[in-house]
Amino acid sequence: MAKLLTIQGGKPLQGTVKVRGAKNLVPKAMVASLLGSEPSELRNVPEIRDVEIVHNLLTIHGVKVDRDSAAGHMTLDPRETYSAEHSQIDAYAGDSRIPILFCGPLMHKNGEAFIPDLGGCRIGDRPINYHLEVLRNFGAVVDKQPNGIHISAPKGLKGAKLELPYPSVGATEQVLLTAVLAEGITELKNAAVEPEIHDLIAILQQMGAIITVYTDRTIRIEGVNRLSGFKHRAIPDRNEAASWASAALVTEGDIYVHGAAQRDLTAFLNTYRKIGGEFEVDDEGIRFWHGGKALQPLVLETDVHPGFMTDWQQPMVVALTQAHGVSIVHETVYENRFGFTEALKRMGASIQLHRECLGSNPCRFGQRNFLHSAVISGPSELKGTDINVPDLRGGFSHLIAALAAQGTSTVTGIEIINRGYEHFIDKIEGLGADIDISAALAA
Ligand code: EPU
């Protein structure tokens, strides 16, 4: 049943939260297990909806998945896979974008794959043209049908020379998951090099793949005939860590994020320090808190790794509503990731959106009709309001704003946040927030 979250804001969040494996790695590691001829073991698996979706999709393809959810352990046995009914795939895929990554592994295993219409957060058009183009280059035949895409490899899959128009994370993963068992050598130029990609490469290497990453964003994969299983501990979720860090700043709180890794947060931590946040790193995690002085405005541009990640943008915009002066945020990864600012404006924030590339470098959205730059003037006193969650990161950012705001906020659509934030209600409560959860009344 749909839930209604009521938040009495204005209390600093204080205490410890634990982050486990990255939402943007774990489901892909699970898909990689399909490529093996032996079982795999994955650790640090969070209880989030994207993991449930992939668990179900693997199960209907014959993979035996055993899971100790509390411990975060999962074993995946792909020794008896088969094709699944289209209607079943459609039913289990939910609104996730992960099904597209089943293409290569299923073609290697079963000769074919079916991809239902894809979901994911509504933060732009989110096309899959790069995915389909690289798959065609490997020799796949793509057949668009009314309810999805049927894809097959009647002549097998062969390594190819590829170049992405933009360093897409998903398309790079698509190439990796397809090339490792394709015949011959694949060379991918302009690849994404996010930490989650490196972790996926580590998994594939354990399975027997031969993959080289060059400094110029080129990845070379030498296809092999057979892959075994892997035993791997997923890297921590750097996006969840950054979200809690922003929550500490905005609520003037103090949060220790157990499990956060500094290595994958360099660009975030630089920005955090410049705006006035403090942090302290130890072997187990990172403590984040408000430095006590007026927060500083800044000019920020999202980018592919190693730049400031787009998923950090939304929580950071909430923090910038509290900075003293004018900040500029230029979103260069997704064309439509500022929709969440509408609710912030209703809460009292001063934010103007612009079609121009403001701040620094022109991006690929500059000549098009997208509101992809934001000018934020602060500080603004935020007041509680009624919010319907628009997307994963935007939704969490609304929670942060509501937790800092004066008065009461009611939040619907919080199920979206379960896609990527494990036990977030319990965590917020554990940090001392004044919240209440009840059944939402039908509109
Ligand atoms: N793009 C295309 N065509 C394609 C693929 C991508 O034009 O075929 C464009 C996208 O529209 C976007 C850009 O390329 O403008 C980058 O998209 P990318 O493929 O890198 O994103 P993704 O793989 O779909 C993952 C994460 C996102 C994260 C991005 C960028 C997962 C499941 N999702 O998406 O995470 O923002 O990489 O790092 O890994 C989130 O966690 O909230 C989230 C949206």
Side-chain angles (χ1 to χ4, degrees):
M1 188 188 284
K3 298 271 176 38
L4 176 76
L5 177 64
T6 306
I7 299 177
Q8 301 291 343
K11 276 178 86 175
L13 295 186
Q14 278 166 337
T16 297
V17 290
K18 184 173 179 168
V19 298
R20 297 205 281 182
K23 160 193 162 278
N24 290 348
L25 178 274
V26 171
K28 294 135 185 203
M30 293 168 70
V31 177
S33 75
L34 252 180
L35 292 162
S37 306
E38 288 159 32
S40 291
E41 282 178 37
L42 190 56
R43 297 189 303 282
N44 211 21
V45 176
E47 291 183 87
I48 53 172
R49 208 166 83 238
D50 274 13
V51 169
E52 308 304 329
I53 289 171
V54 178
H55 182 156
N56 288 330
L57 287 172
L58 288 171
T59 304
I60 60 170
H61 285 94
V63 179
K64 292 191 184 61
V65 183
D66 272 325
R67 185 169 172 198
D68 178 342
S69 297
H73 291 176
M74 184 179 268
T75 57
L76 307 109
D77 184 345
R79 282 176 292 188
E80 282 174 36
T81 61
Y82 38 76
S83 296
E85 296 285 330
H86 291 190
S87 57
Q88 266 186 312
I89 300 174
D90 209 17
Y92 282 117
D95 53 4
S96 169
R97 289 178 61 76
I98 306 291
I100 187 80
L101 295 178
F102 277 71
C103 287
L106 284 180
M107 278 193 289
H108 283 303
K109 279 270 164 158
N110 305 332
E112 60 168 3
F114 173 75
I115 309 305
D117 279 342
L118 295 176
C121 286
R122 298 280 162 238
I123 50 183
D125 210 18
R126 306 202 76 182
I128 53 168
N129 53 330
Y130 304 166
H131 293 256
L132 298 182
E133 189 56 27
V134 294
L135 287 166
R136 285 195 186 96
N137 275 294
F138 281 108
V141 176
V142 176
D143 177 20
K144 292 195 184 169
Q145 298 177 351
N147 55 344
I149 297 170
H150 180 258
I151 184 154
S152 58
K155 296 186 186 155
L157 295 163
K158 294 197 175 52
K161 275 195 177 297
L162 307 164
E163 178 160 4
L164 293 176
Y166 182 82
S168 150
V169 170
T172 301
E173 291 159 345
Q174 183 75 263
V175 170
L176 288 167
L177 291 166
T178 306
V180 283
L181 281 179
E183 188 190 324
I185 291 172
T186 295
E187 188 182 83
L188 176 65
K189 291 201 160 142
N190 206 22
V193 291
E194 268 61 9
E196 292 78 13
I197 300 267
H198 283 285
D199 213 36
L200 182 61
I201 290 174
I203 285 169
L204 294 169
Q205 187 180 50
Q206 270 199 45
M207 296 174 82
I210 301 171
I211 303 171
T212 313
V213 183
Y214 298 95
T215 48
D216 65 348
R217 289 189 178 277
T218 300
I219 301 181
R220 186 177 193 270
I221 304 123
E222 299 176 37
V224 296
N225 292 331
R226 182 183 184 279
L227 294 172
S228 58
F230 62 81
K231 288 186 183 176
H232 186 76
R233 181 180 172 82
I235 54 165
D237 197 310
R238 62 196 175 114
N239 299 336
E240 186 183 348
S243 300
W244 291 117
S246 299
L249 197 54
V250 181
T251 64
E252 301 191 9
D254 187 335
I255 303 180
Y256 180 70
V257 185
H258 186 271
Q262 178 187 13
R263 177 195 60 219
D264 301 332
L265 283 163
T266 311
F268 177 82
L269 294 174
N270 286 340
T271 303
Y272 199 73
R273 180 167 277 159
K274 282 199 256 180
I275 184 175
E278 303 263 354
F279 60 89
E280 189 176 74
V281 180
D282 66 28
D283 289 350
E284 307 291 326
I286 308 178
R287 176 183 160 216
F288 296 95
W289 71 99
H290 188 296
K293 300 200 183 98
L295 296 184
Q296 294 303 304
L298 43 79
V299 177
L300 186 62
E301 180 165 87
T302 64
D303 205 348
V304 295
H305 190 74
F308 188 92
M309 197 184 179
T310 171
D311 296 340
W312 303 332
Q313 178 261 103
Q314 289 151 304
M316 191 51 87
V317 163
V318 184
L320 290 173
T321 67
Q322 302 309 304
H324 290 239
V326 177
S327 297
I328 292 173
V329 180
H330 181 205
E331 169 62 56
T332 77
V333 180
Y334 289 110
E335 68 273 25
N336 192 16
R337 211 169 192 175
F338 282 125
F340 77 107
T341 57
E342 188 270 330
L344 297 184
K345 289 205 288 201
R346 277 194 286 113
M347 296 176 89
S350 166
I351 303 175
Q352 289 88 40
L353 301 184
H354 296 265
R355 292 184 166 75
E356 295 78 10
C357 297
L358 298 184
S360 38
N361 304 317
C363 79
R364 65 210 157 105
F365 307 136
Q367 300 305 316
R368 296 156 73 193
N369 207 18
F370 300 121
L371 291 165
H372 72 293
S373 295
V375 177
I376 304 145
S377 310
S380 304
E381 188 175 326
L382 300 178
K383 291 179 283 303
T385 190
D386 297 338
I387 298 164
N388 184 32
V389 166
D391 62 78
L392 177 69
R393 307 289 167 203
F396 195 85
S397 306
H398 288 158
L399 295 188
I400 297 176
L403 288 161
Q406 293 304 316
T408 308
S409 295
T410 60
V411 191
T412 49
I414 54 171
E415 293 72 21
I416 295 177
I417 303 177
N418 289 326
R419 274 195 45 219
Y421 291 90
E422 182 180 40
H423 306 155
F424 70 94
I425 299 280
D426 294 344
K427 289 180 185 175
I428 289 172
E429 237 170 359
L431 292 171
D434 190 351
I435 62 169
D436 181 57
I437 187 113
S438 59
L441 296 174

